[in-house]
Amino acid sequence: MFSAKRAVVPPNPLQKRIAIIGAGRVGGALAGGWVKARHSVTLGARDPHSDKVKALLHTLGAALATTIPKAVAQSEVVALATPWDGARTAIEAAGDLAGKLLIDCTNPVGAGGLALGHTTSGAEQVAQWAPGARVVKAFNTIGFEVMADTHFANGKPALFLCGDDGEARQAVAGLAADLGFEPVDCGPLRMARCLEPMAVLWISLARTGMGRQFAWALLRR
Ligand SMILES: NC(=O)c1ccc[n+]([C@@H]2O[C@H](COP(=O)([O-])OP(=O)(O)OC[C@H]3O[C@@H](n4cnc5c(N)ncnc54)[C@H](OP(=O)(O)O)[C@@H]3O)[C@@H](O)[C@H]2O)c1
């Protein structure tokens, strides 16, 4: 297991042990925020010795990297941040996910848009691949740059999440708030059928002139 030099920081009484499968843009952004919030973060990678993973660990300062099954075994929360076409293989590599809080950050997008929807969603498919896991869809409706830096002059960005386990949703809401988001609990996992198309809208806006430095916000009265 690799570790970057650990800084001495006071413990977080609400600290969670989080495994992140996929040490890419989303995985790296979430890891950065959760390390800052003093959670215990372990990157689960196909090659934990790769230069890419070592570079990310160096940036994070206080995180570990190991194989996917080892990272998952030692964690209570698992964030899935792989491309959609690798999601099933990654879940299979993870081993037993029963009882774990599994945050599905993926989007089932391909060249032609969403690979599935309307009558199901990527998140519901993930739940089938990971029996017994408490799946929460989250962190899929905004770009990784916003996950890495949630500061906007005019308010907090909204983080829409859904899942069938209320406690799991609450825990993910806390993890989203730790990053600076305003969590928005959208209810059961089937609401991912709405959240995944939102990602397509975000991507389309980003590509047609909006750029990537924007987020959704919720207004109330
Ligand atoms: N990019 C965004 O702004 C954004 C925002 C919201 C949601 N998302 C969604 O989040 C997911 C990740 O996106 P990303 O932009 O972070 O992708 P990325 O930068 O390409 O990173 C993907 C990571 O997944 C790993 N991976 C790929 N296939 C795997 C497999 N079969 N098993 C284990 N690990 C595997 C890769 O590891 P290797 O180094 O081993 O290849 C890489 O570390 C996607 O589903 C995407 O739709 C992306």
Side-chain angles (χ1 to χ4, degrees):
M1 188 176 283
F2 278 100
S3 73
K5 201 164 60 180
R6 278 184 181 275
V8 179
V9 286
N12 173 357
L14 301 175
Q15 186 186 69
K16 298 238 180 301
R17 285 170 285 115
I18 306 172
I20 299 181
I21 307 179
R25 290 166 292 185
V26 169
L30 294 176
W34 287 332
V35 163
K36 276 192 199 127
R38 291 170 292 139
H39 292 292
S40 169
V41 174
T42 306
L43 307 173
R46 291 190 284 199
D47 179 4
H49 305 277
S50 72
D51 289 345
K52 186 175 134 185
V53 172
K54 281 185 195 162
L56 179 56
L57 282 179
H58 186 73
T59 311
L60 294 172
L64 303 169
T66 184
T67 63
I68 295 169
K70 281 187 185 159
V72 168
Q74 66 191 44
S75 302
E76 58 206 305
V77 177
V78 178
L80 179 67
T82 65
W84 177 246
D85 62 8
R88 185 174 193 164
T89 320
I91 289 171
E92 283 166 4
D96 187 8
L97 285 157
K100 309 254 182 204
L101 196 174
L102 178 58
I103 307 175
D104 173 25
C105 313
T106 69
N107 277 309
V109 285
L114 284 176
L116 73 176
H118 296 291
T119 56
T120 188
S121 60
E124 289 162 279
Q125 180 64 83
V126 162
Q128 281 183 11
W129 290 334
R134 300 179 297 141
V135 178
V136 174
K137 184 92 204 179
F139 303 108
N140 73 303
T141 53
I142 26 81
F144 71 93
E145 298 91 339
V146 177
M147 301 178 213
D149 176 4
T150 51
H151 178 75
F152 286 84
N154 41 1
K156 287 187 181 191
L159 197 282
F160 301 99
L161 61 99
C162 65
D164 290 336
D165 181 316
E167 264 182 37
R169 290 202 307 271
Q170 224 175 343
V172 175
L175 289 170
D178 285 344
L179 300 184
F181 284 105
E182 179 186 358
V184 182
D185 185 338
C186 300
L189 195 62
R190 66 173 181 277
M191 291 309 291
R193 297 174 197 182
C194 299
L195 299 191
E196 290 167 7
M198 271 185 87
V200 176
L201 176 59
W202 193 94
I203 293 165
S204 169
L205 290 171
R207 286 181 179 161
T208 53
M210 190 88 73
R212 296 183 60 90
Q213 298 295 341
F214 73 99
W216 312 115
L218 197 70
L219 302 178
R220 290 188 181 85
R221 64 181 173 191

